[in-house]
Amino acid sequence: MMVLLELCVFAAVFNYISASTEVCTNTLLPGAKGDQGEIGEEGDQGKLGKNGPAGLSGVLGEKGLRGEVGHTGKMGPVGDKGNKGGAGLGGPTGLKGKPGTTCDCGRYRKVVGQLDVNVGKLRNAVKFVKNVVLGLKETEERYYLLVKEPKRFREASMNCKLRGGTLAMPKTSNTNRLMAEYVSQTGLTRVYIGVLAQSKDTNGTSTHVYADSSPLQGFAAWSQEEELNSKVSPTTNSSCVELLTTGAWSHVECEATMFFICEFPKSRRRGGG
């Protein structure tokens, strides 16, 4: 019984080995390499590929022929002025001129002399008109006019402005003396001038200004009485100033009516004439 079983097992193993051998012998293996075939026809052109990197610079070519002249461009800006050149050579001497005629200088001197006389007469006439007819006085810079119309201080100031000037402002001793003589020559005793008192300052002294609102500058001609009362501030009605024939200044009520002097600047002529 045991022997029979071993035979069966042996037979089964033998059959399994035989079957495995058949499977291996039936597997397809690649054959030998064949001969090279003929070259086929050229195919269609493929798509363009991407641009490759730039190549190295080539060798510089030969210089070409000169081109034609181009169009004329616009004119450029003017350059800086150059340095002055040296003096040139002297030219040849010119021909001798014709002799001149004799000058009758005496006649021309007579005409010029007559013109000087006429100009002098004209100046005297203008001076007569200014000083006598108009009653003006003048300095190198200003004219002065004494107005014989009694007015209050404010009205007098406005009247001078309407005439193109201001109330006279004696800012120097010479001008003050000229104005005082002017008043005396007309037979008056006092006139309004362009000086006005203001309120007291911190020291208790009243301050004064000219008609153009500028302060008194180093000159004043107060009378002795006014100097004694300089510590006393004038009242509102006595804050105006009058000029006496003596050349002294004095306070006066602004509501008083009296004559006054206007001043006018001289127009500057061109060329210093």
Side-chain angles (χ1 to χ4, degrees), residues 241-264:
V241 178
E242 63 181 359
L243 172 67
L244 306 178
T245 55
T246 59
W249 298 359
S250 178
H251 285 106
V252 65
E253 294 184 1
C254 296
E255 296 300 316
T257 57
M258 66 176 69
F259 299 155
F260 52 95
I261 298 178
C262 298
E263 72 173 44
F264 310 90

Side-chain angles (χ1 to χ4, degrees), residues 196-222:
L196 186 67
Q198 293 183 330
S199 60
K200 288 184 179 181
D201 57 18
T202 56
N203 296 327
T205 304
S206 58
T207 58
H208 295 77
V209 295
Y210 288 112
D212 59 1
S213 299
S214 62
L216 298 186
Q217 300 175 353
F219 173 76
W222 299 111

Side-chain angles (χ1 to χ4, degrees), residues 96-263:
K96 187 175 181 179
K98 296 181 180 180
T101 57
T102 303
C103 175
D104 187 6
C105 299
R107 182 178 63 179
Y108 292 110
R109 290 194 185 99
K110 184 177 181 180
V111 173
V112 173
Q114 187 61 40
L115 288 176
D116 290 339
V117 173
N118 293 339
V119 170
K121 290 181 179 179
L122 181 60
R123 288 177 177 172
N124 292 333
V126 172
K127 186 175 182 180
F128 176 81
V129 172
K130 290 190 299 182
N131 296 339
V132 179
V133 179
L134 298 179
L136 293 177
K137 296 293 182 181
E138 64 178 312
T139 62
E140 293 182 357
E141 297 181 352
R142 283 173 170 73
Y143 292 111
Y144 296 91
L145 172 64
L146 195 156
V147 181
K148 295 182 179 181
E149 298 177 11
K151 294 184 181 296
R152 300 181 180 90
F153 183 86
R154 186 180 297 274
E155 295 171 347
S157 179
M158 182 60 65
N159 187 278
C160 289
K161 289 181 180 180
L162 293 176
R163 294 172 184 266
T166 60
L167 275 173
M169 297 174 288
K171 296 184 177 182
T172 64
S173 58
N174 291 336
T175 304
N176 192 73
R177 182 172 60 254
L178 173 69
M179 293 171 58
E181 294 175 354
Y182 193 7
V183 174
S184 179
Q185 291 172 2
T186 55
L188 302 176
T189 58
R190 60 178 187 170
V191 293
Y192 273 131
I193 58 175
V195 179
L196 186 67
Q198 293 183 330
S199 60
K200 288 184 179 181
D201 57 18
T202 56
N203 296 327
T205 304
S206 58
T207 58
H208 295 77
V209 295
Y210 288 112
D212 59 1
S213 299
S214 62
L216 298 186
Q217 300 175 353
F219 173 76
W222 299 111
S223 63
Q224 293 182 355
E225 182 180 357
E226 292 294 338
E227 290 181 352
L228 293 175
N229 298 331
S230 60
K231 296 295 183 180
V232 180
S233 176
T235 62
T236 303
N237 292 333
S238 299
S239 60
C240 296
V241 178
E242 63 181 359
L243 172 67
L244 306 178
T245 55
T246 59
W249 298 359
S250 178
H251 285 106
V252 65
E253 294 184 1
C254 296
E255 296 300 316
T257 57
M258 66 176 69
F259 299 155
F260 52 95
I261 298 178
C262 298
E263 72 173 44

Side-chain angles (χ1 to χ4, degrees), residues 15-36:
N15 289 334
Y16 177 75
I17 295 173
S18 299
S20 297
T21 304
E22 291 178 358
V23 172
C24 292
T25 57
N26 291 334
T27 301
L28 296 177
L29 297 176
K33 186 177 180 180
D35 298 333
Q36 183 177 357

